[in-house]
Amino acid sequence: MQRQALQWRRQGVRVGFVPTMGYLHAGHLSLVAEARRRVGPEGMVVLSIYVNPTQFAPTEDLARYPRDFARDSRLCREAGVDVIFAPNDADMYAGREQGLYSTYVVEETLTQGLEGASRPTHFRGVTTVVTKLFNCVLPEVSVFGAKDWQQAAVVRRMVADLQFPIRIVVAPTTREPDGLAMSSRNRYLQPAERAQATVLWRSQAWVRKQVRGSGSGSTAGLRPEALRQGIQALIAECPAARLDYVEFVDPDTLRPVDRVRRGCRMVMAVFVGKTRLIDNGAI
Ligand code: PAF
């Protein structure tokens, strides 16, 4: 991949990159379309498929994470992806099992709260693998989904802090007709759980209505605790759902806000059955 990327660079070919863990859905394909828009018809769009072990804790779903390379390949072909980069663990982490892999990339601030608080080793794996993928693909532009808002913020910060010559684009979340954010993990949901999983979207809509509906709410802002209680009440109506966290944060620094008003970001994680779903949205 790197040899090919260097050749493209010498030839002046523009490269757009979409990193994924596979089991593609319409959300991923919207990132491909954005990458294509950025590099134009003459450019190369590369999509990586790699289920990165270092971003999963031992208790998480690495082994059962859904994989279907044949289907992914077909979707990529139909979506106009030029190259699928699908490395394996031996390519990416040679010697790790024997203790011979020891270099990681760590962002120290934005990773502390939200997903980082619930999944303490997750972002070290993400920043490390994204760096490695960038070094293989050498893209000019890379597209990430807004659904993983904290991930996108962390990658943006890493790219700025470490002077990667790469433009990071964050593309909107793609949703099912009932509002559920598309995710490869949605396939874990049992039918009864699938119906309840819309509570993440309904919670956002409810908060937006509270903040935008009340004249004073949009300017002075509402108390996060009061909104959290309202969300807990919505979640309590769904027997399979349990709130992991909901925070109201500045969209760039991810710092919690004292008052929730227009422009801040609501970020949440909810267990529906055994499946942990995340979502976020502008308030
Ligand atoms: O968002 C994902 O699918 C993954 O975290 C990423 C960016 C491909 C890194 O493994």
Side-chain angles (χ1 to χ4, degrees), residues 65-79:
Y65 196 84
R67 294 159 167 91
D68 188 343
F69 188 76
R71 179 174 162 277
D72 286 349
S73 304
R74 179 175 53 76
L75 289 172
C76 282
R77 227 182 350 263
E78 288 165 9

Side-chain angles (χ1 to χ4, degrees), residues 77 92 108 140 178 195 197 209 279:
R77 227 182 350 263
M92 295 301 274
E108 294 190 333
E140 163 187 327
D178 64 3
K209 194 165 163 212
D279 202 352

Side-chain angles (χ1 to χ4, degrees), residues 17-22 28 31 48-53 55-56 65 122-123 125-127 129-130 133 143-145 148 151 155 184:
F17 177 44
V18 179
T20 82
M21 299 205 297
H28 294 114
L31 308 184
S48 66
I49 297 177
Y50 179 55
V51 183
N52 171 38
Q55 69 190 74
F56 290 79
Y65 196 84
H122 172 67
F123 283 115
V126 171
T127 43
V129 82
V130 168
L133 293 168
V143 187
F144 289 78
D148 295 286
Q151 169 172 279
V155 169
S184 307

